[in-house]
Amino acid sequence: GINAEYGGHCIMFSFLNRILGGSSAHDRLENFASNEDKSYEDDHAFFEEIDRQFPTSKKLGEVVICMKHIAKYYSIPGRTDAVAALKDVNLSKDTEFYPIRRGEFLMLRGPSGGGKTTLLNILGTLDKPSKGEVEILGTPINERSSDSFLASLRLSKIGFVFQTFNLIATMSAFENVELPMTILGRLTEAERKKRAKSF
Protein backbone atom coordinates (compact mmCIF):
# COMPACT_ATOMS: atom_id res chain seq x y z
CA GLY A 1 0.00 0.00 0.00
CA ILE A 2 0.91 3.67 -0.25
CA ASN A 3 0.44 6.08 2.58
CA ALA A 4 0.19 9.81 2.05
CA GLU A 5 -0.05 11.38 5.49
CA TYR A 6 -1.38 14.83 6.21
CA GLY A 7 -3.12 16.45 9.15
CA GLY A 8 -3.08 13.26 11.21
CA HIS A 9 -4.99 11.35 8.53
CA CYS A 10 -3.82 8.83 6.00
CA ILE A 11 -4.77 7.90 2.46
CA MET A 12 -4.03 4.28 1.65
CA PHE A 13 -3.63 3.09 -1.91
CA SER A 14 -3.77 -0.71 -2.13
CA PHE A 15 -2.25 -2.07 -5.29
CA LEU A 16 -4.56 -5.07 -5.42
CA ASN A 17 -2.93 -6.67 -8.44
CA ARG A 18 0.61 -6.29 -7.10
CA ILE A 19 1.02 -8.99 -4.52
CA LEU A 20 4.44 -8.14 -3.16
CA GLY A 21 4.15 -10.61 -0.30
CA GLY A 22 5.55 -9.74 3.11
CA SER A 23 8.41 -7.74 4.57
CA SER A 24 11.09 -9.11 2.20
CA ALA A 25 9.18 -7.70 -0.79
CA HIS A 26 8.70 -4.41 1.07
CA ASP A 27 12.47 -4.30 1.68
CA ARG A 28 13.11 -4.99 -2.02
CA LEU A 29 10.78 -2.13 -2.98
CA GLU A 30 12.50 0.26 -0.56
CA ASN A 31 15.92 -0.80 -1.86
CA PHE A 32 14.83 -0.23 -5.45
CA ALA A 33 13.41 3.19 -4.61
CA SER A 34 16.59 4.27 -2.81
CA ASN A 35 19.00 2.92 -5.43
CA GLU A 36 20.51 6.11 -6.85
CA ASP A 37 23.34 4.28 -8.64
CA LYS A 38 21.07 3.21 -11.47
CA SER A 39 20.00 5.64 -14.14
CA TYR A 40 17.41 4.98 -16.84
CA GLU A 41 17.33 6.37 -20.36
CA ASP A 42 13.60 7.08 -20.19
CA ASP A 43 10.39 6.24 -18.36
CA HIS A 44 9.91 3.11 -20.47
CA ALA A 45 13.24 1.65 -19.28
CA PHE A 46 12.43 2.60 -15.69
CA PHE A 47 9.07 0.80 -15.71
CA GLU A 48 10.51 -2.23 -17.52
CA GLU A 49 12.89 -2.62 -14.58
CA ILE A 50 9.97 -2.26 -12.13
CA ASP A 51 8.06 -4.98 -14.02
CA ARG A 52 11.11 -7.23 -13.99
CA GLN A 53 11.72 -6.92 -10.25
CA PHE A 54 8.05 -6.91 -9.22
CA PRO A 55 6.14 -9.07 -11.71
CA THR A 56 2.35 -8.84 -11.82
CA SER A 57 -0.31 -11.24 -13.05
CA LYS A 58 -0.77 -9.09 -16.16
CA LYS A 59 1.30 -6.76 -18.27
CA LEU A 60 0.88 -3.16 -17.16
CA GLY A 61 0.75 -0.37 -19.72
CA GLU A 62 1.74 3.27 -19.85
CA VAL A 63 1.39 5.76 -16.99
CA VAL A 64 -2.18 7.06 -16.75
CA ILE A 65 -1.99 9.11 -13.52
CA CYS A 66 1.02 10.92 -12.10
CA MET A 67 0.82 13.35 -9.15
CA LYS A 68 3.50 15.74 -7.96
CA HIS A 69 3.24 17.67 -4.69
CA ILE A 70 -0.57 17.85 -4.69
CA ALA A 71 -2.08 20.07 -2.00
CA LYS A 72 -5.62 21.30 -1.49
CA TYR A 73 -6.62 24.03 0.93
CA TYR A 74 -10.07 25.38 1.76
CA SER A 75 -10.90 28.79 3.19
CA ILE A 76 -13.62 28.77 5.84
CA PRO A 77 -15.50 31.95 6.77
CA GLY A 78 -14.52 33.12 10.24
CA ARG A 79 -11.11 31.44 10.13
CA THR A 80 -7.90 33.17 9.17
CA ASP A 81 -5.98 29.96 8.41
CA ALA A 82 -6.90 27.66 5.53
CA VAL A 83 -7.92 24.06 6.17
CA ALA A 84 -5.59 21.54 4.52
CA ALA A 85 -7.42 18.63 2.92
CA LEU A 86 -4.33 17.30 1.11
CA LYS A 87 -0.65 18.01 1.71
CA ASP A 88 2.17 17.02 -0.64
CA VAL A 89 0.62 13.88 -2.15
CA ASN A 90 2.90 12.24 -4.71
CA LEU A 91 2.69 9.37 -7.17
CA SER A 92 5.65 9.81 -9.51
CA LYS A 93 8.75 7.93 -10.54
CA ASP A 94 10.87 10.47 -8.64
CA THR A 95 9.36 9.35 -5.32
CA GLU A 96 9.12 6.00 -3.60
CA PHE A 97 5.47 5.73 -4.71
CA TYR A 98 5.20 5.29 -8.46
CA PRO A 99 2.52 6.54 -10.88
CA ILE A 100 -0.62 4.56 -11.68
CA ARG A 101 -0.32 2.59 -14.89
CA ARG A 102 -2.88 1.27 -17.35
CA GLY A 103 -4.16 -2.09 -16.13
CA GLU A 104 -3.71 -1.44 -12.41
CA PHE A 105 -6.73 -1.82 -10.15
CA LEU A 106 -6.58 0.38 -7.08
CA MET A 107 -8.56 1.03 -3.96
CA LEU A 108 -8.51 4.29 -2.03
CA ARG A 109 -9.41 4.05 1.64
CA GLY A 110 -9.05 6.07 4.80
CA PRO A 111 -10.97 7.65 7.68
CA SER A 112 -13.94 9.94 7.21
CA GLY A 113 -12.66 13.45 6.54
CA GLY A 114 -9.26 12.11 5.48
CA GLY A 115 -9.31 13.61 1.97
CA LYS A 116 -10.43 10.66 -0.18
CA THR A 117 -13.22 12.53 -1.96
CA THR A 118 -11.02 15.60 -2.40
CA LEU A 119 -8.32 13.49 -4.04
CA LEU A 120 -10.81 11.66 -6.28
CA ASN A 121 -12.37 14.98 -7.32
CA ILE A 122 -8.92 16.25 -8.32
CA LEU A 123 -8.07 13.04 -10.19
CA GLY A 124 -11.45 13.23 -11.93
CA THR A 125 -10.84 16.92 -12.81
CA LEU A 126 -13.99 17.96 -10.92
CA ASP A 127 -11.72 20.11 -8.74
CA LYS A 128 -8.27 21.66 -9.13
CA PRO A 129 -5.36 21.33 -6.73
CA SER A 130 -4.29 24.43 -4.78
CA LYS A 131 -0.69 23.44 -5.47
CA GLY A 132 1.08 20.79 -7.48
CA GLU A 133 0.28 19.08 -10.73
CA VAL A 134 -1.61 16.00 -11.88
CA GLU A 135 -0.91 14.36 -15.22
CA ILE A 136 -3.67 12.26 -16.75
CA LEU A 137 -2.53 10.28 -19.80
CA GLY A 138 0.35 12.73 -20.16
CA THR A 139 -1.90 15.81 -19.97
CA PRO A 140 -0.91 18.24 -17.16
CA ILE A 141 -3.72 19.44 -14.86
CA ASN A 142 -3.10 22.31 -12.46
CA GLU A 143 -4.80 25.37 -10.93
CA ARG A 144 -4.54 27.20 -14.27
CA SER A 145 -6.44 24.56 -16.30
CA SER A 146 -9.62 26.07 -17.78
CA ASP A 147 -13.08 24.64 -17.05
CA SER A 148 -13.74 24.06 -20.76
CA PHE A 149 -10.48 22.13 -21.13
CA LEU A 150 -11.30 19.96 -18.10
CA ALA A 151 -14.86 19.33 -19.31
CA SER A 152 -13.48 18.13 -22.65
CA LEU A 153 -10.96 15.86 -20.90
CA ARG A 154 -13.68 14.34 -18.69
CA LEU A 155 -15.92 13.72 -21.68
CA SER A 156 -13.27 11.96 -23.73
CA LYS A 157 -11.00 10.22 -21.19
CA ILE A 158 -12.59 9.76 -17.74
CA GLY A 159 -15.48 7.57 -16.59
CA PHE A 160 -17.33 7.97 -13.30
CA VAL A 161 -19.61 5.79 -11.21
CA PHE A 162 -20.78 8.02 -8.38
CA GLN A 163 -21.89 6.65 -5.01
CA THR A 164 -25.30 8.28 -5.52
CA PHE A 165 -25.24 7.52 -9.30
CA ASN A 166 -26.19 11.12 -10.30
CA LEU A 167 -28.46 9.91 -13.08
CA ILE A 168 -30.76 12.26 -14.99
CA ALA A 169 -34.18 11.37 -13.56
CA THR A 170 -36.15 12.00 -16.76
CA MET A 171 -34.01 9.54 -18.73
CA SER A 172 -33.82 5.74 -18.56
CA ALA A 173 -30.65 4.01 -17.33
CA PHE A 174 -29.88 3.11 -20.96
CA GLU A 175 -30.25 6.75 -22.06
CA ASN A 176 -28.02 7.90 -19.19
CA VAL A 177 -25.28 5.51 -20.37
CA GLU A 178 -25.71 6.64 -23.98
CA LEU A 179 -25.71 10.39 -23.23
CA PRO A 180 -21.92 11.02 -22.96
CA MET A 181 -21.35 9.16 -26.23
CA THR A 182 -24.01 11.34 -27.89
CA ILE A 183 -22.35 14.53 -26.61
CA LEU A 184 -18.91 13.34 -27.72
CA GLY A 185 -20.28 12.80 -31.22
CA ARG A 186 -17.79 10.19 -32.42
CA LEU A 187 -20.14 7.22 -32.82
CA THR A 188 -23.17 6.61 -34.99
CA GLU A 189 -26.53 6.04 -33.29
CA ALA A 190 -26.25 2.29 -33.92
CA GLU A 191 -22.72 2.18 -32.46
CA ARG A 192 -23.83 4.14 -29.39
CA LYS A 193 -26.76 1.84 -28.74
CA LYS A 194 -24.61 -1.27 -29.20
CA ARG A 195 -22.00 0.04 -26.77
CA ALA A 196 -24.65 1.17 -24.22
CA LYS A 197 -26.24 -2.32 -24.31
CA SER A 198 -22.87 -3.92 -23.53
CA PHE A 199 -22.84 -2.05 -20.18
Side-chain angles (χ1 to χ4, degrees):
I2 293 177
N3 292 330
E5 291 192 351
Y6 50 88
H9 295 297
C10 167
I11 287 180
M12 174 78 71
F13 291 85
S14 295
F15 285 72
L16 300 181
N17 67 333
R18 286 198 179 190
I19 310 301
L20 297 178
S23 60
S24 63
H26 183 268
D27 292 343
R28 284 190 297 129
L29 186 58
E30 280 193 346
N31 289 338
F32 180 83
S34 63
N35 187 353
E36 296 175 359
D37 298 332
K38 277 197 171 183
S39 61
Y40 300 92
E41 292 178 17
D42 54 23
D43 287 356
H44 182 73
F46 175 81
F47 287 110
E48 274 192 344
E49 181 65 12
I50 290 281
D51 291 341
R52 189 185 69 73
Q53 290 200 31
F54 304 99
T56 61
S57 58
K58 63 181 174 181
K59 179 83 172 149
L60 297 178
E62 74 276 18
V63 171
V64 292
I65 296 176
C66 179
M67 294 189 291
K68 295 179 181 178
H69 307 293
I70 294 298
K72 183 67 179 179
Y73 302 99
Y74 292 101
S75 297
I76 296 179
R79 288 185 60 161
T80 55
D81 56 330
V83 174
L86 299 171
K87 286 184 186 175
D88 202 34
V89 179
N90 293 283
L91 285 177
S92 71
K93 78 179 190 73
D94 303 323
T95 67
E96 97 181 80
F97 305 123
Y98 304 127
I100 300 168
R101 295 166 63 193
R102 186 179 298 276
E104 286 192 289
F105 179 57
L106 296 106
M107 177 180 67
L108 178 61
R109 69 177 187 177
S112 178
K116 301 180 300 296
T117 300
T118 300
L119 182 59
L120 287 174
N121 284 344
I122 289 171
L123 292 178
T125 74
L126 297 173
D127 201 356
K128 299 174 191 175
S130 302
K131 290 182 181 175
E133 187 170 273
V134 176
E135 280 188 17
I136 297 176
L137 295 168
T139 303
I141 311 294
N142 54 42
E143 69 277 6
R144 295 178 301 281
S145 300
S146 70
D147 288 340
S148 59
F149 169 75
L150 296 178
S152 176
L153 184 66
R154 282 193 298 274
L155 181 62
S156 61
K157 302 289 184 188
I158 301 172
F160 293 94
V161 178
F162 291 97
Q163 187 173 0
T164 54
F165 300 117
N166 292 346
L167 300 177
I168 298 173
T170 56
M171 299 172 72
S172 68
F174 183 90
E175 290 167 332
N176 271 275
V177 170
E178 190 182 16
L179 181 61
M181 293 182 278
T182 304
I183 295 169
L184 191 57
R186 291 185 186 163
L187 302 174
T188 66
E189 183 178 356
E191 288 171 330
R192 290 195 309 266
K193 292 191 181 305
K194 183 179 178 182
R195 185 174 283 189
K197 278 183 182 176
S198 70
F199 287 104

